[in-house]
Amino acid sequence: MKNWRKSTSHTKRISWCPGMNLFHYSRRLSSVVHIGNTPLGGTNPIRIQSMANVSTMNTQAAVAQAMNLIEAGAEYVRFAVQGEREARNLHRIRRALHEKGYAVPLVADVHFSAGVADVAAREVEKVRINPGNYAPTPELARQRFISFLRICKENRTAIRIGVNHGSLSARMTNRYGDTPEGMVASCMEFLEICAKENFEDVVLSIKASHTVVMVKTVRLLVSEMERNGMSYPLHLGVTEAGDGEDARIKSAAGIGALLVDGIGDTIRVSLSEAPEKELSVAGALVHYMREREGHTPIIASPAPGYNHLAMERRISRKVGRIGGGCPPLVLTPEVLANDPSVRFVPITFHTLTQESIRRLSEDQSTVAILSSSHVHPVGEMRAVIHRLMAAGCDVPLILRRDYREDHTESLVIKASADFGALLLDGFGDGLMMCNEGTASVDTEHLLLGILQAIRLRITRTEYISCPGCGRTLYDLQTTIARVKAATSHLTGLKIGIMGCVVNGPGEMADADYGYVGAGQGKINLYKGKQCMMKGLPEVCAVESLVRLIKENGDWRER
C-alpha cells in the first residue's frame, strides 16, 4: 500500500460508488437473479454456499454430501464438472435429491470447455463459467457466449461469470497484464453481452488468494458497473485460503472488508477442510454483518481527496517504531507500560474534538489508540480517521478492539473482519486487541496473522491451498499437513498446494513454489509459474519440493 494521497490514473476518476456510505452500513441494492427456488440479490439475505469435494460421477457420494451441506446451511451446492459425462450426471444427482425432499439449487462449476457449459445449463439451476476459457478473439467469444446464453434462457438457468486472478485469457493478459484492471475488463466484456442479449440472471465473482487484489478488484468492478448503469449481484470469496486459523483470518478479512461496505450477495469460504466447515465460518461472518442493520447513524464525511478505491496507506509521522511507513506493530498492555518515549493517548469518536486534534498534531511524542464500542465499529473508526485526515493530523494510530467472545472461531472471524477492513483502507500503524470472554486464542499470533493476510507484515510461511473438489487428485488434507511439516519454518515464503491443474498454475499465481496434482499419484512442482518437475510419484513429491526450494536458495535450516 502506498501513500493514500497518490492515486492511479483510473482511480482518480472515481472516488467511490454513488449512494455508498463509508460510515453507515447498508446493503448495496443489486438486481435479483432467479436461481431455482432461492433467488439472489435485491433484498434477499446474503446467501451462503459450499462445494462438494467428491467425484461428480459418484452419484451416491455426491447426493450424500449435498444433503450434509444442505443440513449444515448451504443454500446452493456446487459440483466440479470436468466434462460432458459429469455434466449429464448432475441430472441424476438433482433427481435423487428431489426424491429425498431436497430442492436446494445445484451449481455446475465448468472450466476449459464451453461445450460442457452448454450441457450443464440443461441440467442444473446455475452454471459457473470462466471468461478466460472462451474463444481467443472478441468476436468468436461473443458468438460462443451468446449461444450459451440462449440455452440458459430456454432452461431458466442462471450463470455466474467467475474471473479468477491468474486465469485471465491471453488476450486480456497481453493488454492489461494479470491486474485488477484486466480482471474487471474481462468481466465487463461478458456483462455487456448479457445486457445486449437482455439476459438478467447473472451473478459475478472476482476472486484471488491475495486479499488486497481481491478487495481492490471487486471495489473497482462495483464502480465500473455503477458507471455503466449495472447492478448485478456479487459472489464473494478468497480463493485457496488454506486451512486452520490462517484460512479463517484471510477469508474473514477479505470477504468482511467488502461485506462491511454492503457489497456481496452470496459468499463461499474456501477451506482445505471438510466442506461443511466452510458453512459455519460463512454463517458467522454474515451474522456479524447483519448485527449492523439499522444501527445508530454515524455522522461523518470523507476527507477531501480521499480515494476508497486506491487502498493506499495513510501518512503518519514516525514515533519510535510506530508510524512513518513502518510495518504495523502488535501492541500489548506491557508494551504500553514500558515505553516511556511514547505517550499513548486513547481516542474515540465521541472524545475527538478540535482541541484534542490540535494537541495530537502538536505533541510529536503522541501515538493515538483508537477504539470503538459501536455496533458498526469500522464505520465509527473510519469517521475518526477521516476527521484526522481532514484536519491534516498525522498522529500514528493504533487500532484497538475489545470483544466478549466465548468461541474461538467467532473471535477470529470478528477480529479479522474488523481489523482487515480498516487495514485494507490503508489505516492503522499498529493493532491491539482484548477479549473478556472465555475464547482461547493467542492474541499476538492472531493479530500478526491479520497483518500477514493484508500483506503488511510477513512473519510466517503462507500456504495457498485449494479447498478440494471432484477434480482433486490426491488426499488434500494429508498432503497439506506433510508440506507444512517440512516447510512451516520458511518465513515469508508462499507455497501453493493445489489438487489439480485446473486450480493449479493459474490460481496459485502468487505463490513462490507450487505442488500440483497432475494425475493419479502424480505431482508437478512449480517455481513461480514455471513447471520445474513433471509427473513425480506422490510418495516422493514433498522431498522433491524441499530439494527444489534448496536448489533455488530459499531454504534455511530450522
Side-chain angles (χ1 to χ4, degrees):
M1 293 185 182
K2 302 176 183 176
N3 183 295
W4 76 272
R5 297 178 189 275
K6 301 175 183 177
S7 58
T8 65
S9 59
H10 177 88
T11 55
K12 281 180 181 176
R13 293 188 285 109
I14 310 167
S15 61
W16 188 225
C17 303
M20 301 291 282
N21 191 314
L22 295 174
F23 315 106
H24 184 84
Y25 175 79
S26 61
R27 289 274 306 281
R28 165 183 172 264
L29 186 60
S30 63
S31 56
V32 176
V33 170
H34 300 92
I35 306 171
N37 62 0
T38 312
L40 176 69
T43 58
N44 290 295
I46 299 171
R47 306 293 190 184
I48 63 174
Q49 58 180 283
S50 186
M51 185 171 182
N53 62 5
V54 298
S55 170
T56 308
M57 291 305 299
N58 188 336
T59 305
Q60 184 176 356
V63 170
Q65 190 168 70
M67 290 166 57
N68 288 339
L69 292 173
I70 294 165
E71 295 294 340
E75 294 170 279
Y76 308 117
V77 177
R78 185 156 40 121
F79 287 93
V81 178
Q82 299 96 311
E84 291 189 13
R85 289 174 64 245
E86 288 82 2
R88 290 196 170 90
N89 202 55
L90 287 171
H91 177 79
R92 297 185 184 90
I93 296 169
R94 186 167 175 245
R95 183 178 60 194
L97 285 168
H98 283 195
E99 288 173 354
K100 294 176 181 295
Y102 293 89
V104 164
L106 303 187
V107 183
D109 189 83
V110 178
H111 274 271
F112 297 136
S113 174
V116 173
D118 293 349
V119 175
R122 297 181 171 94
E123 305 296 349
V124 292
E125 290 87 348
K126 182 181 171 189
V127 177
R128 184 264 177 166
I129 61 162
N130 186 342
N133 298 147
Y134 273 74
T137 66
E139 185 53 35
L140 286 175
R142 181 178 179 278
Q143 292 174 8
R144 195 68 190 83
F145 186 57
I146 288 175
S147 174
F148 169 65
L149 292 182
R150 289 173 179 166
I151 295 171
C152 291
K153 281 184 179 180
E154 292 171 4
N155 291 273
R156 297 182 179 179
T157 306
I159 69 170
R160 171 158 68 94
I161 299 174
V163 181
N164 283 4
H165 188 219
S167 63
L168 289 179
S169 67
R171 178 165 54 86
M172 286 294 173
T173 303
N174 290 339
R175 181 174 179 184
Y176 296 97
D178 194 8
T179 63
E181 288 77 13
M183 294 166 73
V184 170
S186 179
C187 196
M188 292 299 296
E189 179 180 78
F190 279 68
L191 276 185
E192 288 167 2
I193 298 172
C194 290
K196 288 179 182 177
E197 293 296 311
N198 295 315
F199 187 88
E200 297 179 349
D201 286 329
V202 183
V203 185
L204 309 173
S205 71
I206 288 188
K207 296 185 180 182
S209 64
H210 190 308
T211 55
V212 181
V213 171
M214 175 263 196
V215 172
K216 184 167 187 173
T217 309
V218 173
R219 286 178 176 176
L220 183 59
L221 174 63
V222 171
S223 288
E224 285 296 315
M225 284 200 289
E226 291 283 347
R227 287 201 319 127
N228 287 275
M230 298 174 175
S231 58
Y232 297 105
L234 287 153
H235 169 124
L236 304 182
V238 176
T239 61
E240 284 68 60
D243 65 351
E245 182 180 89
D246 285 347
R248 286 157 175 78
I249 291 171
K250 184 185 283 190
S251 296
I255 298 171
L258 294 164
L259 290 178
V260 81
D261 285 335
I263 296 172
D265 302 278
T266 179
I267 68 172
R268 190 252 174 130
V269 174
S270 298
L271 302 180
S272 300
E273 302 175 21
E276 292 83 356
K277 292 188 177 181
E278 298 180 347
L279 296 163
S280 66
V281 179
L285 187 54
V286 169
H287 179 74
Y288 187 44
M289 294 300 149
R290 288 192 63 186
E291 291 177 358
R292 294 158 168 74
E293 293 177 355
H295 66 75
T296 303
I298 301 167
I299 309 302
S301 300
Y306 174 74
N307 188 338
H308 195 55
L309 294 179
M311 297 169 59
E312 296 168 346
R313 287 193 71 183
R314 165 185 173 264
I315 295 174
S316 64
R317 62 176 179 258
K318 191 171 185 291
V319 180
R321 297 181 299 133
I322 303 172
C326 295
L329 299 180
V330 171
L331 275 76
T332 63
E334 291 74 25
V335 172
L336 300 183
N338 297 321
D339 193 342
S341 64
V342 180
R343 194 166 78 89
F344 293 99
V345 177
I347 61 171
T348 67
F349 179 81
H350 298 289
T351 64
L352 192 69
T353 63
Q354 290 300 318
E355 176 59 22
S356 63
I357 291 174
R358 184 188 65 78
R359 290 196 299 269
L360 291 171
S361 299
E362 292 178 353
D363 187 346
Q364 296 295 298
S365 67
T366 298
V367 171
I369 300 177
L370 171 60
S371 62
S372 170
S373 59
H374 196 282
V375 70
H376 184 25
V378 172
E380 191 174 73
M381 293 168 86
R382 278 176 173 170
V384 172
I385 297 167
H386 278 268
R387 286 172 64 183
L388 292 172
M389 291 194 298
C393 180
D394 63 354
V395 64
L397 287 172
I398 305 302
L399 308 177
R400 172 172 177 157
R401 288 287 291 127
D402 294 337
Y403 299 97
R404 293 184 178 179
E405 292 299 318
D406 295 329
H407 300 285
T408 300
E409 184 172 84
S410 177
L411 179 59
V412 169
I413 290 166
K414 290 183 178 182
S416 301
D418 291 340
F419 287 123
L422 293 164
L423 290 168
L424 283 162
D425 282 353
F427 303 149
D429 300 293
L431 303 180
M432 187 174 179
M433 188 185 89
C434 297
N435 181 47
E436 296 180 5
T438 60
S440 176
V441 65
D442 182 333
T443 299
E444 183 177 11
H445 189 269
L446 170 58
L447 296 180
L448 287 173
I450 295 171
L451 291 173
Q452 175 139 336
I454 311 300
R455 304 295 176 93
L456 287 172
R457 189 173 173 190
I458 307 301
T459 55
R460 63 189 75 164
T461 314
E462 180 173 347
Y463 296 95
I464 301 168
S465 62
C466 69
C469 67
R471 293 183 288 258
T472 302
L473 295 167
Y474 55 80
D475 187 320
L476 188 65
Q477 293 179 44
T478 300
T479 301
I480 292 171
R482 291 177 59 219
V483 173
K484 283 188 171 184
T487 62
S488 61
H489 64 292
L490 301 174
T491 300
L493 218 57
K494 298 188 289 292
I495 299 175
I497 309 169
M498 314 299 290
C500 68
V501 293
V502 172
N503 287 331
E507 295 183 18
M508 66 168 197
D510 193 39
D512 300 304
Y513 294 91
Y515 181 110
V516 180
Q520 290 299 328
K522 300 295 181 181
I523 303 297
N524 290 351
L525 297 181
Y526 287 74
K527 184 180 188 305
K529 296 182 180 181
Q530 183 177 0
C531 185
M532 306 298 289
M533 302 180 189
K534 290 186 177 181
L536 294 172
E538 185 182 349
V539 292
C540 66
V542 174
E543 291 76 10
S544 297
L545 173 64
V546 169
R547 186 168 65 251
L548 179 63
I549 296 171
K550 288 180 176 179
E551 289 171 354
N552 285 275
D554 291 323
W555 183 266
R556 64 174 179 81
E557 298 302 330
R558 294 180 186 272

